């Protein structure tokens, strides 16, 4: 039985080895990986963010928590990965220009791959030219992630750039909302990684 409290504490305190040990033990015991994410790792990142807001944690603490989270995700990714069948479509994903947050983007990537899509991961700090190259390489959908209210407006530029260019642009990230997506004319918005998969499913079905 997984000790979710211990997992949350290990992520919050940035104890990478503890996170790895707890996640590996949970996987070995047959724990559902979505439960590990939803009850352990994602709420822990939310908690460290809240502490940061209250000036109870600082950037170094955020960084070590992020590294511990990534170590856990690395164990989860192969379990969600696709079974080698023909990909259903090609998606490009990147965190927008000026923004270095990549954990949520990585999670969306893992879920899309697990759902059978080929994903071009453009990393962080992506400007329009990076997304454009991915579209030239065959991406049908461009997914933009933003975690900062200061970088969110760049999504508007990406959406405007791809208007009438054939690729659809979808957006997400903690400060992003459906209302914002509607306002800038994005082709879709999702609140979380599973929602991103459903959104891509529906957009590609419509395009067929
Ligand atoms: Co930053 N940071 N950070 N940070 N950080 C936030 C975002 C913040 C909310 C913290 C806070 O104040 N409470 C705040 C933003 C405030 C604002 O904009 N109003 C903030 C700040 C201020 C900053 C700096 C400016 C701090 C500074 O330097 N003074 C700085 C900016 C650097 C930069 O980017 N230029 C900064 C730096 C960092 C670190 C580098 C230390 C680190 C990031 C490490 C990394 O990513 N490798 C970091 C972290 C870890 C956070 C918090 C604590 C956690 C983010 C996270 O990973 N969450 C964050 C607080 C918070 O979010 N509560 C915070 C877990 C992740 C699974 O969730 O990313 O939301 P999330 O992804 C979700 C959904 O949003 C969605 O699916 C994911 C899974 O369900 N989703 C998509 C995401 N992308 C999607 C794309 C889609 C669809 C869905 O496409 C269709």
């Amino acid at each position: 039985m997984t000790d979710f409290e211990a997992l949350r504490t290990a992520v919050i305190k940035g104890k990478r080895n503890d996170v790895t040990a707890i996640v590996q033990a949970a996987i070995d015991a047959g724990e559902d990986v979505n439960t590990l994410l939803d009850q352990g790792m994602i709420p822990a990142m939310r908690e460290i963010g809240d502490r940061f807001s209250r000036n109870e944690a600082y950037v170094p603490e955020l960084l070590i928590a992020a590294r511990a989270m990534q170590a856990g995700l690395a164990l989860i990714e192969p379990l969600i990965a696709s079974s080698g069948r023909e990909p259903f479509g090609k998606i490009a994903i990147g965190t927008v220009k000026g923004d270095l947050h990549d954990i949520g983007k990585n999670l969306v990537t893992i879920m899309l791959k697990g759902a059978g899509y080929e994903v071009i991961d453009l990393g962080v700090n992506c400007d329009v030219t990076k997304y454009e190259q991915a579209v030239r390489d065959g991406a049908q959908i461009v997914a933009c992630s933003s975690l900062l209210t200061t970088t969110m407006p760049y999504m508007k530029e990406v959406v405007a750039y791809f208007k009438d260019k054939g690729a659809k642009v979808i957006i997400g990230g903690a400060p992003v909302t459906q209302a914002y997506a509607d306002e800038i004319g994005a082709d879709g918005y999702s609140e979380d990684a599973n929602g991103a998969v459903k959104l891509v499913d529906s957009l590609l079905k419509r395009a067929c």
Side-chain angles (χ1 to χ4, degrees):
M1 177 102 179
T2 306
D3 184 345
F4 289 103
E5 188 53 43
L7 178 55
R8 284 191 292 271
T9 303
V11 173
I12 289 168
K13 291 190 181 295
K15 294 193 177 295
R16 199 180 344 186
N17 293 341
D18 290 0
V19 171
T20 305
I22 296 168
V23 170
Q24 189 58 60
I27 289 169
D28 293 344
E31 187 70 77
D32 175 40
V33 288
N34 285 310
T35 311
L36 280 176
L37 289 167
D38 294 340
Q39 290 187 29
M41 297 159 76
I42 293 176
M45 291 310 291
R46 221 167 278 139
E47 173 59 26
I48 188 78
D50 290 347
R51 290 185 190 184
F52 180 78
S53 297
R54 299 193 298 264
N55 290 325
E56 292 166 8
Y58 300 93
V59 172
E61 280 103 328
L62 295 193
L63 262 179
I64 59 165
R67 285 194 194 135
M69 174 85 173
Q70 302 275 24
L73 286 181
L75 295 174
I76 286 174
E77 176 163 18
L79 300 177
I80 300 180
S82 138
S83 54
R85 59 180 180 261
E86 262 306 288
F88 293 125
K90 208 187 237 191
I91 319 300
I93 188 166
T95 305
V96 294
K97 188 173 157 187
D99 200 322
L100 304 177
H101 295 85
D102 68 355
I103 294 174
K105 180 221 20 114
N106 293 345
L107 212 44
V108 175
T109 301
I110 290 170
M111 294 301 177
L112 284 171
K113 283 184 181 170
Y117 291 101
E118 182 178 347
V119 183
I120 305 174
D121 185 349
L122 300 169
V124 296
N125 196 23
C126 292
D127 62 10
V128 154
T129 57
K130 274 197 187 169
Y131 296 114
E132 187 193 27
Q133 184 56 52
V135 170
R136 278 206 216 104
D137 292 341
Q140 299 138 290
I141 295 180
V142 166
C144 298
S145 178
S146 159
L147 265 285
L148 298 171
T149 46
T150 48
T151 58
M152 214 170 90
Y154 192 72
M155 292 174 155
K156 189 176 176 180
E157 288 185 40
V158 180
V159 169
Y161 183 82
F162 283 105
K163 269 271 161 295
D164 308 322
K165 284 201 175 67
K168 294 183 185 298
V169 179
I170 60 175
I171 64 174
V176 183
T177 60
Q178 181 66 56
Y180 183 69
D182 294 342
E183 183 190 318
I184 66 172
D187 294 295
Y189 156 78
S190 80
E191 190 183 352
D192 56 27
N194 289 323
V197 172
K198 288 190 192 124
L199 178 60
V200 166
D201 284 345
S202 79
L203 284 173
L204 287 185
K205 251 179 254 147
R206 250 184 266 148
C208 290

